[in-house]
Amino acid sequence: MNFKHSLGLVLALVFFGISTQSQAQTGKANQPFAWKVTTDKWFMSPTYAFKYMPTDFTAKGGQGVVSNKAAAGHGPVGSNDCSQSTAPSACTESLIKERFKDIELPGVRFPSGYSGVEYVTFEVQTNGKVNTYQVVKQAVVCPPCVQQAVNLVASIDQWHPAIQDGVVVKSEVVVPVYFKK
């Protein structure tokens, strides 16, 4: 066996080991995502943020109206417990603060100048389904951090749609994920 062949084999095994370790940390396969290139500061919120995106379907047809008028409006809700809460948006914000701060990535060296936070954004449809995850592209990128942030946010798989004026609407969400440096 020549040196180049051996080196290629070793590099392939190292890459496979890193990939397997990354997936083992999350317990799931890596979630797909796209980059979001923007200068809009709203997408770099220091806390969970959302905004309503009313649709023609719910506004014109009157469909998607919520029967419980006590819940006249709130953002998308990230768990069944929070959907039963008297303050669903505050409950979801608290849940996100607990789950996505001081995330440790053993063995990862952060690039010089890395901010230590990734901003994952997505839309919650009127049926609670999540559209493609996007990550706000920053000046200094930490690839394992980006993928781990997306995987963590995707682990909340039970979203309930936002309600605006008693009507179920689409919403856009930003979840910051903070890494312990």
Side-chain angles (χ1 to χ4, degrees):
M1 209 185 307
N2 66 24
F3 178 73
K4 285 184 181 180
H5 183 64
S6 297
L7 182 61
L9 185 59
V10 168
L11 289 175
L13 288 172
V14 167
F15 177 74
F16 176 74
I18 291 170
S19 173
T20 305
Q21 180 183 7
S22 172
Q23 290 181 10
Q25 289 174 352
T26 63
K28 307 171 97 169
N30 288 333
Q31 295 293 319
F33 70 91
W35 289 109
K36 182 168 198 73
V37 179
T38 182
T39 56
D40 185 348
K41 293 293 182 191
W42 184 83
F43 290 102
M44 291 175 258
S45 173
T47 61
Y48 160 76
F50 70 91
K51 58 184 174 182
Y52 298 117
M53 299 173 61
T55 62
D56 289 341
F57 177 73
T58 55
K60 288 181 183 174
Q63 300 192 24
V65 175
V66 176
S67 59
N68 180 3
K69 283 299 185 179
H74 62 73
V77 180
S79 75
N80 285 331
D81 290 341
C82 288
S83 69
Q84 303 300 321
S85 169
T86 56
S89 292
C91 179
T92 299
E93 183 172 351
S94 177
L95 171 83
I96 286 171
K97 280 182 182 177
E98 288 174 22
R99 287 181 73 178
F100 304 128
K101 71 173 187 171
D102 294 332
I103 304 298
E104 291 189 42
L105 285 178
V108 172
R109 291 191 58 184
F110 297 107
S112 177
Y114 177 62
S115 69
V117 62
E118 297 295 340
Y119 303 96
V120 181
T121 182
F122 55 92
E123 289 180 9
V124 177
Q125 303 300 308
T126 57
N127 62 2
K129 300 284 185 199
V130 172
N131 267 3
T132 306
Y133 295 98
Q134 294 182 312
V135 178
V136 175
K137 190 154 189 174
Q138 300 180 62
V140 177
V141 176
C142 172
C145 303
V146 171
Q147 188 62 66
Q148 182 71 355
V150 173
N151 291 346
L152 287 168
V153 172
S155 73
I156 298 180
D157 56 357
Q158 293 184 335
W159 284 93
H160 300 269
I163 298 173
Q164 182 181 33
D165 298 327
V167 177
V168 175
V169 295
K170 288 193 318 184
S171 58
E172 190 162 14
V173 178
V174 175
V175 176
V177 178
Y178 291 89
F179 290 92
K180 189 173 186 177
K181 290 172 62 175

